[in-house]
Amino acid sequence: QVQLVESGGGSVQTGGSLRLSCSASRSTFCMGWFRQAPGKEREGIAYITMYGTTRYADSVKGRFTISRDNAKNTQTLQMNSLQPEETAMYYCAARQDRCGLGLEDGYYWGQGTQVTVSS
């Protein structure tokens, strides 16, 4: 089992920035972020492997940056130029075997942190 704890959500105006953080109870191969807006499916937005390989959803490329500190088992997501449609609950995710942006079995999940972008 892996416990994940997120922090850093909040409210921001259109075009603003937020930084999300996640702390894991132990090391995992893959760490990433998903988000779920009301009435919509949970979607993967970014991941990073323990070797530093990253991948982003097209909707956030160039605006979001994911990073991790393997020594501390933490990851962060820097989000810039936020838009109202990105209002959602953001979830830290981790898994041991592989990385992906698809919603699959095998992830460990944090409790989520709310991000609200107002126009």
Side-chain angles (χ1 to χ4, degrees):
Q1 282 288 346
V2 178
Q3 283 74 49
L4 302 170
V5 179
E6 303 102 332
S7 61
S11 297
V12 67
Q13 292 188 327
T14 298
S17 298
L18 283 174
R19 186 179 180 90
L20 305 182
S21 297
C22 175
S23 179
S25 59
R26 60 187 179 93
S27 177
T28 59
F29 173 71
C30 188
M31 299 188 81
W33 294 91
F34 286 68
R35 66 187 178 191
Q36 188 168 18
K40 295 189 176 181
E41 291 188 352
R42 193 172 297 190
E43 61 171 347
I45 55 175
Y47 70 65
I48 183 167
T49 73
M50 64 188 307
Y51 302 112
T53 300
T54 60
R55 183 182 172 193
Y56 299 90
D58 288 343
S59 58
V60 306
K61 278 181 185 176
R63 299 185 298 117
F64 290 13
T65 302
I66 190 171
S67 60
R68 68 186 283 174
D69 184 332
N70 290 334
K72 297 180 179 179
N73 296 330
T74 59
Q75 66 160 337
T76 61
L77 183 69
Q78 177 66 41
M79 305 186 294
N80 298 328
S81 300
L82 284 161
Q83 302 299 311
E85 57 267 28
E86 297 182 296
T87 293
M89 188 71 78
Y90 284 68
Y91 295 90
C92 175
R95 61 185 297 162
Q96 297 286 25
D97 55 347
R98 64 182 185 273
C99 279
L101 295 180
L103 190 60
E104 304 172 354
D105 292 338
Y107 284 104
Y108 299 101
W109 297 99
Q111 79 284 1
T113 185
Q114 179 68 38
V115 171
T116 302
V117 186
S118 58
S119 57

